[in-house]
Amino acid sequence: MSDFILETSHLTKEFKGFTAVSDVNLSVRRGSIHALIGPNGAGKTTCFNLLTKFLVPTSGTIRFNGQDITGEKPAEIARRGIIRSFQISAVFPNLTLLENVRLGLQRKLGTSYQFWRSERSLYKLNERAKRLLAEVGLEHMADEMTVNLPYGSKRALEIATTLAMEPELMLLDEPTQGMGHEDVDRVTQLIKKVSAGRTILMVEHNMKVVSTIADRITVLQRGEVLAEGPYEEVSANPQVMEAYMGTTEGQLEGAH
């Protein structure tokens, strides 16, 4: 089996004459945390949408575990174990934390639309749901209504529901967006913890987060790969500094 779990070759997406993603060759190493960074409009979210098949590439190929998945639909991609956590907190506010995670487990079982099944049939999922809540530090709030959670805890819950789908590759879209320092640190450590035995590809603006946990970084600019490598190498690249900060001064260094 290849060292790389996900590979794109010449991945391109055009919208009526505008090229949002251009000739992107991406290789995500199995078991790593790989960050996709770049200024606004660089094509990061479009790239995620191509990988999860919410958008169809204009050209290029996507391979997962060595198999060409370019023509597959979003549901097929999810069944393969590529699970995306959305930029906006994707949890149900009027369910308890336990019920939210249990729903993720149901999706994996394929019973999420069998509304006529008695709730008792779901109780067997409770233990697994509680273990997942414990993994993200929320086990003590299992019966709390999700609407009452602070923002950082909602993102932790979202990671738990993503884990419920048993991802082989987790795509995290701006996991720390809109958070205060304390929550950012907590969620950063949480991502590091849940990455054990998994592969994570994340879009992230916060350079401190990226420098703390990413094994490898790909920098996009205007839809193209500008640089790739470990944080130390990428952050010292003058082109990256200029694209990312609008300056050739070493402002990326301040992100440590």
Side-chain angles (χ1 to χ4, degrees), residues 37 219 226-227 234-235 237-247 252:
I37 70 168
V219 186
L226 180 64
V234 165
S235 64
N237 183 321
Q239 282 181 291
V240 173
M241 287 178 200
E242 193 160 4
Y244 213 86
M245 313 300 288
T247 176
L252 270 175

Side-chain angles (χ1 to χ4, degrees), residues 2-9 11 24-28 51 61-67 69-70:
S2 163
D3 280 352
F4 297 104
I5 190 169
L6 181 79
E7 295 168 281
T8 70
S9 179
L11 195 62
V24 168
N25 297 313
L26 186 67
S27 297
V28 179
L51 296 176
T61 56
I62 305 165
R63 298 178 77 80
F64 180 67
N65 281 329
Q67 291 182 291
I69 60 167
T70 316

Side-chain angles (χ1 to χ4, degrees), residues 88-112:
I88 296 155
S89 193
V91 289
F92 294 95
N94 296 317
L95 295 179
T96 66
L97 276 66
L98 185 75
E99 287 166 339
N100 262 294
V101 178
R102 205 165 62 185
L103 204 56
L105 291 167
Q106 271 179 272
R107 282 185 190 149
K108 186 68 184 167
L109 289 178
T111 59
S112 51

Side-chain angles (χ1 to χ4, degrees), residues 102 106 109 111 113-126:
R102 205 165 62 185
Q106 271 179 272
L109 289 178
T111 59
Y113 299 109
Q114 296 177 23
F115 295 115
W116 59 87
R117 283 169 67 110
S118 77
E119 195 180 354
R120 207 172 300 121
S121 69
L122 302 178
Y123 289 167
K124 63 175 186 250
L125 298 176
N126 283 358

Side-chain angles (χ1 to χ4, degrees), residues 24-162:
V24 168
N25 297 313
L26 186 67
S27 297
V28 179
R29 194 174 288 279
R30 197 178 301 281
S32 70
I33 298 177
H34 193 122
L36 206 52
I37 70 168
N40 286 334
K44 305 180 297 291
T45 299
T46 304
C47 216
F48 257 34
N49 286 335
L50 291 169
L51 296 176
T52 48
K53 305 324 301 287
F54 286 92
L55 287 174
V56 178
T58 306
S59 59
T61 56
I62 305 165
R63 298 178 77 80
F64 180 67
N65 281 329
Q67 291 182 291
D68 190 335
I69 60 167
T70 316
E72 293 190 358
K73 293 181 170 62
E76 294 172 301
I77 299 291
R79 274 196 292 274
R80 283 187 180 275
I82 302 174
I83 307 294
R84 176 179 180 174
S85 169
F86 282 89
Q87 199 168 356
I88 296 155
S89 193
V91 289
F92 294 95
N94 296 317
L95 295 179
T96 66
L97 276 66
L98 185 75
E99 287 166 339
N100 262 294
V101 178
R102 205 165 62 185
L103 204 56
L105 291 167
Q106 271 179 272
R107 282 185 190 149
K108 186 68 184 167
L109 289 178
T111 59
S112 51
Y113 299 109
Q114 296 177 23
F115 295 115
W116 59 87
R117 283 169 67 110
S118 77
E119 195 180 354
R120 207 172 300 121
S121 69
L122 302 178
Y123 289 167
K124 63 175 186 250
L125 298 176
N126 283 358
E127 273 316 301
R128 173 85 180 118
K130 283 175 183 169
R131 283 202 300 276
L132 285 167
L133 285 172
E135 200 169 336
V136 300
L138 294 174
E139 67 276 24
H140 60 294
M141 300 176 80
D143 298 319
E144 181 72 54
M145 294 297 283
T146 299
V147 72
N148 299 330
L149 284 184
Y151 187 65
S153 297
K154 274 188 185 145
R155 299 317 293 263
L157 174 61
E158 189 182 310
I159 288 172
T161 59
T162 306

Side-chain angles (χ1 to χ4, degrees), residues 26 28 32-38 44 48 172 200-207 209-211 213-220 227-229 231 234:
L26 186 67
V28 179
S32 70
I33 298 177
H34 193 122
L36 206 52
I37 70 168
K44 305 180 297 291
F48 257 34
L172 301 181
I200 293 177
L201 176 63
M202 62 193 283
V203 166
E204 182 53 69
H205 268 110
N206 189 319
M207 282 297 105
V209 174
V210 170
S211 67
I213 60 172
D215 299 302
R216 195 164 185 82
I217 297 163
T218 299
V219 186
L220 290 183
E228 188 171 289
Y231 178 80
V234 165

